[in-house]
Amino acid sequence: MVRTAKDIDARLYTILYKISDPEIPALSIIDLGIVQKVTLEGKHVEIDITPTYTGCPAMDSISMEIRYTLEQYGYSCLVNLVLDPAWTTDFISDVGLQKLKDYGVAPPLSTEKDKRVLYDGERLVPCPRCNSTNSKMISQFGSTACKSLFQCEDCMEPFDYFKCHK
Ligand SMILES: [Zn+2]
C-alpha cells in the first residue's frame, strides 16, 4: 500500500495526494488506503487501486479522476482495480481518521463495537464535535450507504458515522 512520499516517485505522490474520494472530499485516496501499487516508466503510470465498498459507484469516478489528473500533468495512465487484498476501514490511515473527525464524520470503531452500536443500539460512537458518546442512531443510512446518521444528545448535533467495513 502506498502510504508516504517515500513509497513512490515524490512528484506522483504530490499529485495523487490531491485526489480525493468524491464521497469524502476531506480524505485523499492515499489517506483512504486504496492506492496499492504505482509503477512509473518514463511518462507512463500504472496504478493498482482497491475498490472500497462493493458496488460503490465512487470507484469509476475515482479511476477517471486519477487518469484525468495525471494526464493534466503530462502522464499517460492505466488504472487497474484490484480486489485482493479487499479493502477494509482498517486501511484508512491515522491522518485519514483524524481528517474524518475534523470533517464532522465519526471514524469507524472496531468490528465488535460497530456491531454493538448498529444492532444493539449501544451508545459508543463519540460525537466528532464534543466527543460525547451520548449519541444515538437516527438512521442506518446517512448521506451515503457507507455511513449511518447519528445525533449527539449532549450538543444535539446530527453527524455521520463511517461504518466499519471488513
Ligand atoms: Zn456532541
Side-chain angles (χ1 to χ4, degrees):
M1 193 190 303
V2 175
R3 267 304 187 216
T4 71
K6 290 189 189 111
D7 295 333
I8 52 170
D9 177 81
R11 183 164 182 254
L12 275 184
Y13 183 86
T14 311
I15 298 167
L16 290 176
Y17 202 86
K18 288 179 193 154
I19 304 172
S20 56
D21 183 326
E23 296 195 5
I24 318 152
L27 230 58
S28 84
I29 54 173
I30 303 273
D31 295 326
L32 202 55
I34 65 169
V35 181
Q36 301 306 331
K37 200 172 143 206
V38 178
T39 319
L40 174 66
E41 270 188 56
K43 280 283 186 187
H44 181 73
V45 189
E46 201 167 324
I47 299 182
D48 291 354
I49 60 171
T50 315
T52 47
Y53 294 83
T54 323
C56 218
M59 290 323 288
D60 275 351
S61 59
I62 291 181
S63 300
M64 274 175 57
E65 181 72 21
I66 292 173
R67 275 207 306 274
Y68 175 76
T69 307
L70 285 173
E71 276 165 13
Q72 283 194 315
Y73 285 93
Y75 295 96
S76 63
C77 178
L78 178 69
V79 180
N80 305 309
L81 288 187
V82 184
L83 299 172
D84 187 25
W87 185 85
T88 82
T89 37
D90 290 344
F91 284 19
I92 302 174
S93 70
D94 290 343
V95 174
L97 294 175
Q98 184 59 46
K99 281 187 187 169
L100 273 180
K101 199 179 164 205
D102 295 344
Y103 189 63
V105 176
L109 299 171
S110 66
T111 319
E112 187 243 333
K113 281 188 175 175
D114 185 81
K115 282 204 183 93
R116 279 160 58 194
V117 165
L118 298 179
Y119 300 106
D120 304 328
E122 279 193 53
R123 300 188 171 211
L124 298 169
V125 180
C127 165
R129 289 175 187 85
C130 72
N131 284 317
S132 163
T133 51
N134 189 17
S135 61
K136 69 166 187 200
M137 188 167 69
I138 305 288
S139 161
Q140 181 74 243
F141 298 102
S143 60
T144 67
C146 326
K147 300 176 209 128
S148 288
L149 183 63
F150 276 69
Q151 184 168 30
C152 173
E153 301 235 288
D154 282 338
C155 72
M156 299 315 286
E157 283 286 325
F159 63 89
D160 273 336
Y161 164 58
F162 201 107
K163 283 182 270 193
C164 179
H165 180 82
K166 296 262 153 110

